[in-house]
Amino acid sequence: MPVRRTVVAATSIVAIAVPLVFSLNARAQPGTGTSAPAAAAASESGLKPPAKESVATGNGGAVSSVNPYASKAGIEVLRHGGNAVDAAVATAAALGVVEPYSAGIGGGGYFTYYNARTGKVSTIDGRETAPDRMQSDAFIDPSTGKPLPFDDAVNSGLSVGIPGTPATWRKALHDWGTISPAKALRPATRIADDGFVVNDEFRAQTEMNEKRFRNISSTAKLFLPHGQLPVVGTRFRNPDLARTYRQLAREGMDALYRGGIGRDVVQTVQHPPVAPGSDAKVRPGLMEAGDLAKYTALRREPTHTTYRGLDVYSMAPSSSGGTTVGEALNILENFHLSAADRVQALHHYLEASRIAFADRNRWVGDPESSDVPTKQLLSKTFAKDRACLISPTSTLTSPVAPADPRRPGNGCTKGTGTQEQYEGPSTTHLVASDRWGNVVSYTLTIEQTGGSAITVPERGFLLNNELTDFSFTPVSKGVPDPNLPGPGKRPRSSMSPTIVLKNGHPLIAVGSPGGATIITTVLQTLVNRVDLGMTLPQAVSAPRISQRNRTDTEAEPAFLESPERKALDGLGQHFVVAPKAFTPSPEIGAVAALEFLSDGRTQAVAEPKRRGGGSAMVVHKAG
């Protein structure tokens, strides 16, 4: 049975926004339930959410994320003397409040860090793991012998992996931070208590998930207050999450991995709180307390390659982001790309991505469970082999067959492969830097928008559906698949938190949400900036196209209307509009990035329009 506690109302909605004043030293006050805050807010007037800009340039440190509340939380930590790691954790915790359908302590992620003192890039693998009871046939329906319908698998306890985000925060702060987890959580706790202003994006994402949210009583209570969708312009509070954050601050992250929060997570996974009257079949999960207790966020060596004289660092397996972006860049380095011939540049970008995805789908999985040839996938020799497949006058036919990077010389052999399986397009990304020159690129997620749709009762956060990132069956019949489920295994990810160095110093930090399109978004942004001569804001805002070894290339509407589209059609490329999936409009990715300018200033860049526009901030703004 779940632990009994005094019940606090999950949310309160009022029609007034609240300003947020953060202090690392101010003691966060306990939540007071629904009535008192609502009554107090009724007397407030003329208050607005933090201002939102897509580009900010200055000194003293910078933060970029999808949301101004979150970016402001990170900036306030920097202003109180914290470093980039401290700011990144504070920003991520705030995203768990204001972007609860994309990230939170019920999920996981990957953390890439540049240490200015040592000049070294390090990473943390905070990916969720499968329970020990999970086997390779976990997503096979025993009654039919066929894979479960994807939606049935997602909306279940079976899809929930062991959360890695709290352990990631603990490890990052312990290894590189300057403040305690308790202090890093304070800005987010204040937002959860005081509330944030509901915007169009939050309402749209809620509406897209409304049906499945109504099937889970705790989720409907939190995100559909009084049975209704949240209203744009009103204030959304989450005192349950504020109380959960306070418990983590008081007891440490072991409150989730070995304590009361964890017991509630396991209870919820094993016995999903299906709403009375719902006819939804929500399968129980396999998670047990011992799975939480043994979870570890791992330090891994980053992937590394060079591109046009730059050093590109990203996330190694269990993510496929670093190897796939890196392989595609290595392939492209065999060609001259320039703004003088954008059609050929984009054609080569698409073909390199197509080939790299073929190899990704065959070879990348959890390195603890599979022999992943990471070094060979990033070999310049292998890339040169694969580059010979690309013609300037025609398009490869997908699915392209993978090559074996451990057998040099076979990469130019044509053949037919298999397409990647579906991967949810949600997730969130942030970047942060400080006055000492440290840099963080951090991507975190609960998988698709709304995760498993299961909220832990009275805890205020959604659980992930990351285990649906496993292959339900082998991608290629008769060929070993490194991404099948297994006990304690991390499912393959596409998250690509990237840091680019020039002459040993940071030049660009970049990443994006978007499932498998994360890889193409990061790759296209780098090609735009490095090869096509765009500024970083231009590189981020440019229309996107995504080729992932599929017959069709997904494209944003703005690209479909561009002159390059017709020319690429003539080369055999075939475009379709990007699916809306779990975003309210057809978009690809949502970049947050930094560039370190030659005059010593930092330029923070966020999306100007995608997902409602992001938020770029600096400590001391230029001018």
PDB file of all heavy atoms in Angstrom, residues 231 310 321 372 494 515 586 621-622:
ATOM      1  N   VAL A 231      -6.130  27.133 -18.446  1.00  0.00           N
ATOM      2  CA  VAL A 231      -6.474  28.287 -19.276  1.00  0.00           C
ATOM      3  C   VAL A 231      -5.245  29.171 -19.459  1.00  0.00           C
ATOM      4  O   VAL A 231      -4.538  29.482 -18.489  1.00  0.00           O
ATOM      5  CB  VAL A 231      -7.627  29.088 -18.629  1.00  0.00           C
ATOM      6  CG1 VAL A 231      -7.943  30.338 -19.454  1.00  0.00           C
ATOM      7  CG2 VAL A 231      -8.863  28.204 -18.484  1.00  0.00           C
ATOM      8  N   LEU A 310      37.866  21.927 -35.998  1.00  0.00           N
ATOM      9  CA  LEU A 310      37.226  22.072 -34.695  1.00  0.00           C
ATOM     10  C   LEU A 310      37.168  20.707 -34.003  1.00  0.00           C
ATOM     11  O   LEU A 310      37.129  19.667 -34.650  1.00  0.00           O
ATOM     12  CB  LEU A 310      35.810  22.627 -34.850  1.00  0.00           C
ATOM     13  CG  LEU A 310      35.680  23.948 -35.610  1.00  0.00           C
ATOM     14  CD1 LEU A 310      34.197  24.283 -35.816  1.00  0.00           C
ATOM     15  CD2 LEU A 310      36.388  25.075 -34.868  1.00  0.00           C
ATOM     16  N   GLY A 321      23.717   9.662 -30.061  1.00  0.00           N
ATOM     17  CA  GLY A 321      23.880  11.022 -30.555  1.00  0.00           C
ATOM     18  C   GLY A 321      25.290  11.349 -30.986  1.00  0.00           C
ATOM     19  O   GLY A 321      25.535  11.831 -32.097  1.00  0.00           O
ATOM     20  N   VAL A 372      29.705  -2.347 -28.642  1.00  0.00           N
ATOM     21  CA  VAL A 372      29.443  -1.220 -29.529  1.00  0.00           C
ATOM     22  C   VAL A 372      30.778  -0.701 -30.084  1.00  0.00           C
ATOM     23  O   VAL A 372      31.642  -0.278 -29.315  1.00  0.00           O
ATOM     24  CB  VAL A 372      28.705  -0.080 -28.788  1.00  0.00           C
ATOM     25  CG1 VAL A 372      28.391   1.059 -29.749  1.00  0.00           C
ATOM     26  CG2 VAL A 372      27.433  -0.602 -28.136  1.00  0.00           C
ATOM     27  N   SER A 494      18.857   9.150 -28.631  1.00  0.00           N
ATOM     28  CA  SER A 494      19.398  10.026 -29.676  1.00  0.00           C
ATOM     29  C   SER A 494      19.880  11.360 -29.111  1.00  0.00           C
ATOM     30  O   SER A 494      20.295  12.243 -29.881  1.00  0.00           O
ATOM     31  CB  SER A 494      18.332  10.288 -30.746  1.00  0.00           C
ATOM     32  OG  SER A 494      17.969   9.104 -31.396  1.00  0.00           O
ATOM     33  N   GLY A 515      13.503  13.468 -30.085  1.00  0.00           N
ATOM     34  CA  GLY A 515      13.663  12.064 -30.407  1.00  0.00           C
ATOM     35  C   GLY A 515      14.807  11.875 -31.386  1.00  0.00           C
ATOM     36  O   GLY A 515      15.875  12.489 -31.258  1.00  0.00           O
ATOM     37  N   PRO A 586       3.881  21.328 -36.901  1.00  0.00           N
ATOM     38  CA  PRO A 586       4.936  20.527 -37.526  1.00  0.00           C
ATOM     39  C   PRO A 586       6.297  21.198 -37.401  1.00  0.00           C
ATOM     40  O   PRO A 586       6.644  22.095 -38.174  1.00  0.00           O
ATOM     41  CB  PRO A 586       4.483  20.422 -38.986  1.00  0.00           C
ATOM     42  CG  PRO A 586       3.541  21.531 -39.204  1.00  0.00           C
ATOM     43  CD  PRO A 586       2.930  21.864 -37.880  1.00  0.00           C
ATOM     44  N   LYS A 621      24.198  41.912 -19.617  1.00  0.00           N
ATOM     45  CA  LYS A 621      23.877  42.092 -21.023  1.00  0.00           C
ATOM     46  C   LYS A 621      24.734  43.182 -21.642  1.00  0.00           C
ATOM     47  O   LYS A 621      24.956  44.239 -21.039  1.00  0.00           O
ATOM     48  CB  LYS A 621      22.396  42.437 -21.168  1.00  0.00           C
ATOM     49  CG  LYS A 621      21.834  42.207 -22.546  1.00  0.00           C
ATOM     50  CD  LYS A 621      20.319  42.308 -22.523  1.00  0.00           C
ATOM     51  CE  LYS A 621      19.719  41.994 -23.877  1.00  0.00           C
ATOM     52  NZ  LYS A 621      18.245  42.064 -23.868  1.00  0.00           N
ATOM     53  N   ALA A 622      25.216  42.928 -22.849  1.00  0.00           N
ATOM     54  CA  ALA A 622      26.031  43.910 -23.546  1.00  0.00           C
ATOM     55  C   ALA A 622      25.226  45.173 -23.812  1.00  0.00           C
ATOM     56  O   ALA A 622      24.079  45.111 -24.247  1.00  0.00           O
ATOM     57  CB  ALA A 622      26.524  43.334 -24.875  1.00  0.00           C
TER      58      ALA A 622
END
